[in-house]
Coordinates of all heavy atoms in Angstrom, one line a residue:
F33 N 8.2 24.7 0.9 CA 9.3 23.9 0.4 C 9.5 22.7 1.3 O 9.7 21.6 0.8 CB 10.6 24.8 0.4 CG 10.6 25.6 -0.9 CD1 10.1 26.9 -0.9 CD2 11.2 25.1 -2.0 CE1 10.2 27.7 -2.0 CE2 11.2 25.9 -3.2 CZ 10.7 27.2 -3.2
H34 N 9.5 22.9 2.6 CA 9.9 21.9 3.6 C 8.9 20.7 3.6 O 9.3 19.6 3.5 CB 10.1 22.5 5.0 CG 10.8 21.6 5.9 ND1 11.0 21.9 7.2 CD2 11.4 20.4 5.8 CE1 11.7 21.0 7.9 NE2 11.9 20.0 7.0
Y35 N 7.6 21.1 3.7 CA 6.6 20.1 3.7 C 6.2 19.7 2.3 O 6.1 18.5 2.0 CB 5.4 20.7 4.5 CG 4.1 20.0 4.3 CD1 3.8 18.8 5.0 CD2 3.1 20.5 3.5 CE1 2.6 18.1 4.8 CE2 1.9 19.8 3.3 CZ 1.7 18.6 4.0 OH 0.5 17.9 3.8
H38 N 10.2 18.9 0.2 CA 11.1 17.9 0.8 C 10.4 16.7 1.3 O 10.7 15.5 1.0 CB 12.0 18.5 1.9 CG 13.0 19.5 1.4 ND1 14.2 19.1 0.9 CD2 12.9 20.8 1.2 CE1 14.9 20.2 0.5 NE2 14.1 21.2 0.7
H39 N 9.4 17.0 2.2 CA 8.7 15.9 2.9 C 8.0 15.0 1.8 O 8.0 13.8 1.8 CB 7.7 16.4 3.9 CG 7.0 15.4 4.8 ND1 6.3 15.8 5.9 CD2 7.0 14.1 4.7 CE1 5.8 14.7 6.5 NE2 6.2 13.6 5.8
Y42 N 10.2 12.6 0.0 CA 10.6 11.3 0.7 C 9.4 10.3 0.6 O 9.7 9.1 0.4 CB 10.8 11.6 2.2 CG 11.9 12.6 2.5 CD1 11.8 13.7 3.3 CD2 13.2 12.3 2.0 CE1 12.9 14.6 3.6 CE2 14.3 13.1 2.3 CZ 14.1 14.3 3.1 OH 15.1 15.1 3.4
Q80 N 13.0 9.6 7.1 CA 12.7 11.0 6.9 C 11.2 11.3 6.9 O 10.7 12.3 7.3 CB 13.3 11.6 5.7 CG 14.8 11.8 5.8 CD 15.2 12.9 6.8 OE1 15.1 12.7 8.0 NE2 15.5 14.1 6.3
N83 N 10.3 11.0 10.7 CA 10.9 12.2 11.4 C 10.1 13.5 11.1 O 9.8 14.3 12.0 CB 12.3 12.4 11.0 CG 13.2 11.3 11.5 OD1 12.8 10.4 12.2 ND2 14.5 11.4 11.1
H84 N 9.7 13.7 9.8 CA 9.0 14.9 9.5 C 7.6 14.9 10.0 O 7.1 15.9 10.5 CB 9.0 15.2 8.0 CG 10.3 15.7 7.5 ND1 11.4 14.9 7.1 CD2 10.8 17.0 7.4 CE1 12.4 15.7 6.8 NE2 12.1 17.0 7.0
Y87 N 8.0 15.8 13.6 CA 8.4 17.2 13.7 C 7.2 18.1 13.5 O 7.0 19.0 14.4 CB 9.4 17.5 12.7 CG 9.8 18.9 12.5 CD1 10.6 19.6 13.5 CD2 9.5 19.6 11.3 CE1 11.0 20.9 13.3 CE2 9.9 20.9 11.1 CZ 10.6 21.6 12.1 OH 11.0 22.9 11.9
W88 N 6.4 17.9 12.5 CA 5.2 18.8 12.3 C 4.3 18.7 13.5 O 3.7 19.7 13.8 CB 4.5 18.5 11.0 CG 5.3 18.6 9.8 CD1 5.5 17.6 8.8 CD2 6.0 19.8 9.3 NE1 6.3 18.1 7.8 CE2 6.7 19.4 8.1 CE3 6.2 21.0 9.8 CZ2 7.5 20.3 7.4 CZ3 7.0 21.9 9.1 CH2 7.7 21.6 7.9
G131 N 20.8 16.8 10.4 CA 20.4 15.9 11.4 C 19.2 16.4 12.2 O 18.5 17.4 11.9
W132 N 18.9 15.7 13.4 CA 17.8 16.0 14.2 C 18.2 16.0 15.7 O 19.0 15.2 16.0 CB 16.7 14.9 14.0 CG 16.2 14.8 12.6 CD1 16.9 14.2 11.6 CD2 15.0 15.3 12.1 NE1 16.1 14.3 10.4 CE2 14.9 14.9 10.7 CE3 13.9 16.0 12.7 CZ2 13.9 15.3 9.9 CZ3 12.9 16.3 11.9 CH2 12.8 16.0 10.5
D166 N 14.2 19.7 13.7 CA 14.9 19.4 12.5 C 16.0 20.5 12.3 O 15.6 21.7 12.2 CB 13.8 19.5 11.3 CG 14.4 19.1 10.0 OD1 15.6 19.0 9.8 OD2 13.6 18.9 9.0
V167 N 17.2 20.0 12.2 CA 18.3 21.0 12.0 C 18.9 20.9 10.7 O 20.1 21.4 10.5 CB 19.3 21.1 13.2 CG1 18.6 21.6 14.4 CG2 19.9 19.7 13.4
W168 N 18.3 20.2 9.7 CA 18.7 20.3 8.3 C 18.6 21.7 7.9 O 17.6 22.4 8.3 CB 17.9 19.4 7.4 CG 18.1 17.9 7.6 CD1 18.0 17.1 8.7 CD2 18.4 17.0 6.5 NE1 18.3 15.8 8.4 CE2 18.5 15.7 7.0 CE3 18.6 17.1 5.1 CZ2 18.8 14.6 6.3 CZ3 18.9 16.0 4.3 CH2 19.0 14.7 4.9
E169 N 19.5 22.2 7.0 CA 19.4 23.6 6.6 C 18.1 23.9 5.9 O 17.6 25.0 6.0 CB 20.6 23.9 5.7 CG 21.9 24.1 6.4 CD 23.0 24.6 5.5 OE1 22.9 24.5 4.3 OE2 24.0 25.0 6.1
H170 N 17.5 22.9 5.3 CA 16.2 23.2 4.6 C 15.1 23.6 5.6 O 14.1 24.1 5.2 CB 15.8 22.0 3.6 CG 15.4 20.7 4.4 ND1 15.8 19.5 3.9 CD2 14.6 20.5 5.5 CE1 15.2 18.6 4.7 NE2 14.6 19.2 5.7
A171 N 15.3 23.3 6.8 CA 14.3 23.6 7.8 C 14.3 25.1 8.2 O 13.3 25.6 8.7 CB 14.5 22.8 9.1
Y172 N 15.4 25.8 7.9 CA 15.5 27.2 8.4 C 16.1 28.2 7.4 O 16.1 29.4 7.7 CB 16.2 27.2 9.8 CG 17.6 26.7 9.8 CD1 18.7 27.5 9.4 CD2 17.9 25.4 10.0 CE1 20.0 27.0 9.4 CE2 19.2 24.9 10.1 CZ 20.2 25.7 9.7 OH 21.5 25.2 9.7
Y183 N 16.8 30.3 14.7 CA 15.7 29.3 14.3 C 15.3 28.5 15.6 O 14.2 28.3 15.9 CB 16.2 28.4 13.2 CG 15.5 27.1 13.1 CD1 14.2 27.0 12.7 CD2 16.2 25.9 13.3 CE1 13.6 25.7 12.6 CE2 15.6 24.7 13.1 CZ 14.3 24.6 12.8 OH 13.7 23.4 12.7
Ligands
MN9 MN1 13.4 18.5 7.1

Side-chain angles (χ1 to χ4, degrees):
F33 280 92
H34 194 182
Y35 165 78
H38 290 277
H39 188 169
Y42 297 127
Q80 284 292 79
N83 292 355
H84 282 91
Y87 171 70
W88 299 125
W132 301 78
D166 186 345
V167 292
W168 285 56
E169 282 185 347
H170 68 222
Y172 60 88
Y183 158 65

